[in-house]
Amino acid sequence: MTLALEDVINATCPWSGQPVAADALTIYRGAVVGFCNPGCRDKFEAAISMFDNCRAAGPGHSATPGQGQDLPIADKA
């Protein structure tokens, strides 16, 4: 699937507020989302991946960014 600027749901990058660029698009929940540069897009994709890992691990676990592993969260009691 080729991603195109005509299909983005946002006009500005959610990280920087700058206009979206054709080389910085991704799919999120079935919609094309644009970013100002590939770095912002990659930061978004990493954040989504981290939260997906947390959801998969269930309550009481935290994903470590960049390592793909789950670590127990200490009790707050």
Side-chain angles (χ1 to χ4, degrees), residues 1-71:
M1 171 182 207
T2 302
L3 304 180
L5 281 175
E6 305 80 59
D7 300 325
V8 298
I9 60 170
N10 58 307
T12 59
C13 176
W15 295 115
S16 72
Q18 299 296 315
V20 298
D23 67 342
L25 307 178
T26 192
I27 297 286
Y28 177 66
R29 294 186 179 184
V32 180
V33 180
F35 298 87
C36 64
N37 63 62
C40 282
R41 179 203 56 214
D42 295 348
K43 184 166 83 170
F44 175 79
E45 289 175 344
I48 296 304
S49 177
M50 185 183 69
F51 288 119
D52 287 346
N53 289 341
C54 288
R55 287 183 62 194
H61 289 83
S62 174
T64 302
Q67 295 184 3
Q69 62 188 23
D70 296 322
L71 302 172

